[in-house]
Amino acid sequence: MDEEALGAECGAPSGGGLVLPTGAPAALSCEAARTIIAQVRTNLAAPVTDVEAAKFADGVVDWLDPHGLWSVAPDAPVAPLVRREGERLLRELEAAPNGDPCAAADVVGASLATWMKTLRVSFDEGLREGRPEGRARSPAEVWRTVTAAPFEDGPITRNGRELARELGREVGAARAAYGVALDPYVTAASQRLFPDLTAEAWGRVVIAAAVRAYVPQLDAHGAWAPLDEEISIYDLDLETNPPLRLWSEMTRTALGVRIDRGALAPLLDGDVVLSVRGVPLTGMSVEQAEQSALVEGAPHGPPASVTILRPHVAEPMELVVAPAPAPAREGPAPAAEPPELPFDIVRYAEGRVAVVTIPDVPDDLGDRIGAALARVRDAHDIRGVLLDLRANGGGSTDGAMAALGHFLPGAALFPMRRRDGGVEVERAPEVPAEESYSGPLAALVDGDSASAAEMIAGALASYRRGVVIGDRTYGKGCAQEYLDDEAHAGVLRLTTLLFSLPDGAPVQKVGILPQITLSLPAATEREARLSRALEPWRGPDVRDSALVREVPWALHGGRVGPCRDETVCRALRALGTSVAAAR
C-alpha cells in the first residue's frame, strides 16, 4: 500500500540533499544501531509487543543479501548461522547504548569474510573463462551477455558459487569485447560483489541489516534506510514536484544497470549504464542504483555525467544528462497547471453526474480537485459528483485535507493522537465559495481504499456531506513521519500518529463501512491482518455542528448511464433510489 506520510518531501529529513551512493554495503556500529532502535521505540504511536526472533532473523538474511550471493543462496553458510544467532543478536541490539559489543554480529561477520573469499575464487575462475584465447564473439552475442539479468527477483534457487562464476564469465566476456576501457568496471565488479572486508567490518554490515529487519517487526509501516538508500522509503511519485530520474525502470546486470523504460535523453531505453557521476553501478543494490538515478533539483538541476554501453557502439560512451533549461520569458513564470484527474460525465435522470477518479492522494490533490470542480462548474445540468476512490492506497495527509477543503471549507477534521497521549486536530483549508462544491456528493470505495483515501471518504460520511458507497475499506488509521535517525546514519519512516474520523470513529483495523453496500471483488489485504498493525483508537468528536448537513441526491427513475465502468452505474443507480435520496 502507498504509505500515508507527513513531511514527505524527498531529501527533507537529512536537509542537505541526497547522498550519492558509493556502492559499499550499508554498515552500522553496535552503538549506532542501539540508538536508532531506542528512538524507534520511543516515537511509535503506541507501545508494541516484543519482536519474534525467528522472523527478525529471516529479515536480517533478506536485507543482508542484495545479490542472492551473500546469505540467501542455497550453499551460503551465512543464513543458517544468522538464524542460530538471531535470538542473541536481537537481545544485543535491544540493549542500552554503550553496552556490551554485538558479539553475535561479529560471529556472522567472520563467516561472511570467509564466504567472500570462496565466492571471489569462483568469480575469478569465471572471469578467465569469459576471456578465452582465440575465440571471437559476434556483436549480438556480446550484447546479450552485457544486457543479461543474472540476479533472481523471487526466491533464490541458484548456488552462490555458481552465480559468482557466471558473473565472472559475463564480466570477462565484456572485457574481451570492449578492451581496457572496461577495466575500471571489472575491478569495481569484484570489489562490490565480493567486498574484501575484515570480520569486524562485516559484523557492522550485519548490524545494518539487522536494523532494517528490526524496524518493520515493530511497525507494520516502518522502515530504516541508510542515507545512500534513503529514497527507498519515500514515495516520490506522490510529490508535487518529484525529482527527475535518469530512468523509470531498470534491471541490474553484471556491469551496471540496463534501462528498461523511461530513459532521460540523451540516454535511450536499452542502454547499459556503467557509472553515474563517476561512480560505477556494478554490484550496487537496487536501492543504491535507484538513488543514483535521481537528477536532483528538478526541473533545472545540475547535469549528470553518465557512462554507458550501447548496441553497435564499440566502446563505452560518455554522456551528459541535463534537465531542459527554463525557457526565457519576461516577468514571473505562470503557475504550473496541476495534472488532470480522470474525469467523466454520465447521464443521470434529466441531467448528468461528474465522475472524478482519484487513483492516489498526492500532495497537490487539492489543486487537482479544484481543477476538476472548475470543469463541473463549466458543464451543464450537473446533478452530483461521484469521487471514485477504489484501489486508492492513499498518500499524503496534506493532500487529503486540501481536497476536503473544497467540500468542507474550514471544517475540523481528524483528531490525531501521539504516543504521549497528546491529540492534535487537523482542519480543512478555507476555500473561497466560488472554488468549493456544495451539491450532491458521493465517494465510491472498496477494500483497497486506504489511509488518506479513507480520510476523504470518512470525513464526508462523518459530516453527512456525502454518501459513501461500495465495500468496507482497508482500515489504515495511522500516519507515518520521516525522521533523521539520531545516529546520523540514515532516515526512519515511523508510525507516529493514530487518527480517527471527525466524529471520533476509529479507522485503524476497522475501516469505513459504506452507507450503501455494493458487492465488489474481495480485497486481498486488510490492515487488521498485518501482524504488527497498531490497535484501533476512538477519538473525540470534533465536528463543527454547523457544517453537519445532508445534500440529498435526486431520484433518477432508472435513467442512468451508460458508463465506461458498470460499477459506476451500479453506484449511481443505488444513490438515486428513494432511500438513498432521502438520506
Side-chain angles (χ1 to χ4, degrees):
M1 307 299 279
D2 290 336
E3 298 299 342
E4 179 200 353
L6 308 173
E9 291 298 320
C10 174
S14 54
L18 292 172
V19 171
L20 180 65
T22 64
L28 284 174
S29 69
C30 190
E31 181 178 353
R34 289 168 173 166
T35 298
I36 295 168
I37 287 169
Q39 178 185 3
V40 170
R41 284 189 166 272
T42 300
N43 284 276
L44 284 176
V48 292
T49 57
D50 290 337
V51 170
E52 296 180 39
K55 291 183 178 179
F56 163 73
D58 287 343
V60 175
V61 170
D62 287 340
W63 274 115
L64 182 58
D65 202 328
H67 313 297
L69 285 158
W70 298 353
S71 62
V72 187
D75 58 340
V78 180
L81 183 58
V82 171
R83 293 184 175 105
R84 288 198 300 273
E85 295 286 343
E87 180 86 34
R88 183 161 68 127
L89 177 59
L90 177 61
R91 300 304 162 225
E92 289 172 348
L93 289 179
E94 291 180 329
N98 302 314
D100 293 333
C102 293
D106 291 337
V107 170
V108 179
S111 177
L112 269 166
T114 301
W115 180 235
M116 285 305 107
K117 294 177 182 177
T118 301
L119 293 177
R120 201 175 299 112
V121 168
S122 295
F123 177 82
D124 290 342
E125 290 173 351
L127 199 62
R128 290 189 293 271
E129 293 169 4
R131 300 172 61 180
E133 295 293 334
R135 179 176 179 263
R137 285 180 166 87
S138 69
E141 185 180 6
V142 169
W143 191 246
R144 282 195 299 271
T145 300
V146 168
T147 58
F151 304 112
E152 297 176 278
D153 290 331
I156 303 301
T157 60
R158 201 171 186 184
N159 283 345
R161 294 181 184 87
E162 177 189 330
L163 176 56
R165 192 164 189 155
E166 176 60 29
L167 287 165
R169 283 194 289 265
E170 292 179 3
V171 171
R175 168 61 176 81
Y178 289 94
V180 296
L182 235 56
D183 281 352
Y185 307 104
V186 174
T187 300
S190 177
Q191 293 174 344
R192 296 275 185 75
L193 293 166
F194 318 104
D196 187 12
L197 304 178
T198 65
E200 182 182 6
W202 273 115
R204 291 194 289 272
V205 175
V206 173
I207 291 170
V211 171
R212 297 187 90 152
Y214 186 92
V215 175
Q217 290 299 315
L218 282 185
D219 180 356
H221 304 286
W224 174 82
L227 291 176
D228 63 353
E229 299 181 18
E230 66 174 290
I231 68 157
S232 65
I233 65 173
Y234 303 140
D235 195 335
L236 301 182
D237 291 330
L238 295 176
E239 293 191 3
T240 303
N241 295 301
L244 288 177
R245 293 177 169 95
L246 297 177
W247 57 76
S248 57
E249 293 180 12
M250 63 88 179
T251 298
R252 289 181 300 161
T253 71
L255 281 170
V257 303
R258 182 188 72 221
I259 301 179
D260 296 327
R261 191 173 70 85
L264 184 63
L267 298 173
L268 300 176
D269 290 354
D271 286 345
V272 171
V273 181
L274 299 176
S275 70
V276 175
R277 299 181 180 90
V279 180
L281 300 190
T282 176
M284 281 192 177
S285 66
V286 171
E287 293 79 11
Q288 289 175 338
E290 293 291 11
Q291 185 149 319
S292 299
L294 292 187
V295 179
E296 291 192 72
H300 311 301
S305 59
V306 182
T307 306
I308 67 163
L309 297 176
R310 182 169 286 176
H312 313 300
V313 179
E315 59 186 16
M317 299 173 62
E318 303 290 337
L319 302 178
V320 175
V321 182
R329 64 172 69 248
E330 295 182 2
E337 292 294 326
E340 287 191 353
L341 294 168
F343 186 95
D344 199 10
I345 297 289
V346 175
R347 180 193 176 195
Y348 186 93
E350 298 303 322
R352 299 181 295 170
V353 166
V355 180
V356 181
T357 301
I358 307 176
D360 51 29
V361 185
D363 292 336
D364 64 347
L365 183 59
D367 293 336
R368 299 188 191 194
I369 288 288
L373 293 178
R375 296 176 67 183
V376 169
R377 286 189 290 274
D378 291 340
H380 298 291
D381 299 325
I382 295 297
R383 301 297 178 89
V385 172
L386 175 67
L387 304 179
D388 188 351
L389 294 163
R390 289 175 296 166
N392 183 322
S396 164
T397 56
D398 289 343
M401 289 183 286
L404 286 166
H406 291 279
F407 309 111
L408 293 164
L413 294 177
F414 310 108
M416 292 190 168
R417 191 195 73 180
R418 291 190 179 271
R419 174 71 170 269
D420 61 5
V423 176
E424 308 164 6
V425 179
E426 302 290 348
R427 282 190 173 271
E430 291 278 2
V431 173
E434 64 273 15
E435 297 180 12
S436 64
Y437 173 74
S438 58
L441 184 63
L444 177 58
V445 298
D446 63 9
D448 292 320
S449 304
S451 66
E454 291 175 290
M455 285 182 151
I456 295 171
L460 299 179
S462 289
Y463 275 97
R464 301 179 187 173
R465 174 64 189 86
V467 179
V468 178
I469 184 169
D471 200 357
R472 185 187 291 271
T473 60
Y474 180 85
K476 183 175 180 286
C478 56
Q480 288 68 51
E481 291 182 281
Y482 296 122
L483 309 169
D484 285 331
D485 72 43
E486 293 175 359
H488 310 293
V491 174
L492 286 161
R493 182 181 66 229
L494 291 180
T495 299
T496 57
L497 296 164
L498 284 166
F499 69 83
S500 72
L501 296 182
D503 62 2
V507 178
Q508 177 68 6
K509 279 189 169 182
V510 176
I512 297 166
L513 185 63
Q515 292 116 312
I516 302 174
T517 301
L518 298 180
S519 176
L520 298 177
T524 57
E525 297 180 1
R526 296 278 185 183
E527 181 82 1
R529 297 173 189 162
L530 299 181
S531 61
R532 288 292 168 175
L534 299 180
E535 293 303 309
W537 174 64
R538 178 173 288 276
D541 187 338
V542 299
R543 289 176 296 177
D544 298 311
S545 58
L547 296 178
V548 178
R549 65 188 184 92
E550 297 184 15
V551 182
W553 283 75
L555 299 176
H556 54 63
R559 291 164 294 174
V560 172
C563 301
R564 299 177 191 273
D565 181 343
E566 179 55 27
T567 301
V568 170
C569 269
R570 288 174 58 203
L572 293 176
R573 292 187 196 105
L575 285 168
T577 64
S578 58
V579 174
R583 281 183 178 277

